Amino acid sequence: MSPRIVRLPALCLSLALGALPAAAQDERVISVNGRGEVAAAPDMAVISLGVVEEAATAGDAMRAANAAAGAVLSRLEALDIAARDIQTSELRLTPVWVGPDPERDLERRITGFQASNHLTVRLRDLSTLGEVLDAVVAEGANRFSGLRFTVAEPDELMEKARRAAVADATAKARTLAEAAGEPLGRVQRITEHGGGAPRPMMMEAARSDAGGVPVAPGEIEMTVEVTIDFAIAEVE
């Protein structure tokens, strides 16, 4: 028996094509990425510092760390740093272990305890940064885990960076449309990617006016990236 050939009516094929969304049939879109960068001098520093003390007992270690941290806090207050700008960020008490040492027939054991008290300090007057660092070291701060520069009011910088990112993307879209001989249409979609956190840029040599530890605040940079979809306008 010869195989049968089934032919679909032309109407079925027409209906299937007609069911496709219009965007799938003709997507006239230019999609571009834009980047905006705004640099500014920082006006605030955030310092992570602390005290670490060891003693034979846990209680003695904690009392020593608390006393040292109290002295640091008192000095910060005397330097007119507001209470809202000082925060205890970590308290820790850990045993100090030694061994094992097979050659000396020593087993692993606790020989004492280490206590630490860490603070995060916001400094709104950068001219006193060197003086503040010197002062807290003199009062017993013996651990520094971070220093970063930032701005107290980042919203204005973010707005400028967003405008710059959109302008960059629009300029790219115009260039692409002109090169293709097509008229650029309206914005279809804008998507923002990441950005927001200030990051340090190249530092310049600087020193606190009050002397002390040399500091180099340099500049910080706010970056925003966007993706914009533009329609390609229909020529009438």
Side-chain angles (χ1 to χ4, degrees):
M1 180 183 295
S2 59
R4 297 178 60 190
I5 299 177
V6 179
R7 299 183 183 277
L8 292 175
L11 177 60
C12 294
L13 183 59
S14 299
L15 289 174
L17 288 175
L20 290 175
Q25 298 178 47
D26 185 14
E27 290 189 359
R28 293 175 55 81
V29 173
I30 296 178
S31 183
V32 292
N33 294 325
R35 181 182 178 90
E37 299 176 350
V38 177
D43 58 13
M44 186 170 70
V46 180
I47 313 165
S48 298
L49 59 91
V51 296
V52 181
E53 300 289 343
E54 288 189 11
T57 66
D60 286 344
M62 185 60 76
R63 280 188 288 272
N66 290 342
V72 170
L73 287 170
S74 296
R75 189 61 180 273
L76 291 172
E77 182 180 353
L79 291 169
D80 294 327
I81 297 178
R84 66 190 178 100
D85 290 329
I86 306 171
Q87 183 179 49
T88 298
S89 54
E90 182 182 79
L91 290 172
R92 181 175 294 183
L93 177 65
T94 57
V96 178
W97 294 87
V98 66
D101 186 349
E103 294 184 359
R104 300 173 57 189
D105 196 26
L106 293 177
E107 296 181 354
R108 179 173 166 82
R109 69 185 190 281
I110 295 174
T111 61
F113 292 85
Q114 183 183 85
S116 59
N117 189 322
H118 294 268
L119 304 172
T120 298
V121 181
R122 286 195 300 262
L123 191 62
R124 300 179 187 272
D125 183 359
L126 292 184
S127 67
T128 64
L129 178 55
E131 178 188 7
V132 170
L133 293 176
D134 268 355
V136 295
V137 169
E139 291 297 338
N142 54 12
R143 178 164 295 180
F144 288 85
S145 55
L147 168 62
R148 63 182 176 89
F149 295 98
T150 185
V151 289
E153 301 293 339
D155 291 347
E156 183 177 350
L157 291 179
M158 279 296 296
E159 181 179 342
K160 291 180 179 179
R162 287 190 177 103
R163 291 181 181 275
V166 171
D168 180 46
T170 302
K172 290 178 180 177
R174 287 199 183 107
T175 299
L176 291 172
E178 290 173 4
E182 297 281 1
L184 189 65
R186 300 178 62 181
V187 172
Q188 302 296 301
R189 178 184 301 159
I190 300 178
T191 305
E192 182 178 328
H193 309 284
R199 65 183 182 87
M201 295 177 63
M202 184 177 295
M203 300 295 185
E204 297 178 358
R207 193 178 184 90
S208 167
D209 293 339
V213 177
V215 293
E219 288 187 328
I220 61 171
E221 184 179 78
M222 303 286 279
T223 302
V224 171
E225 295 182 353
V226 297
T227 298
I228 305 182
D229 295 338
F230 292 87
I232 299 176
E234 296 292 342
V235 179
E236 296 181 359

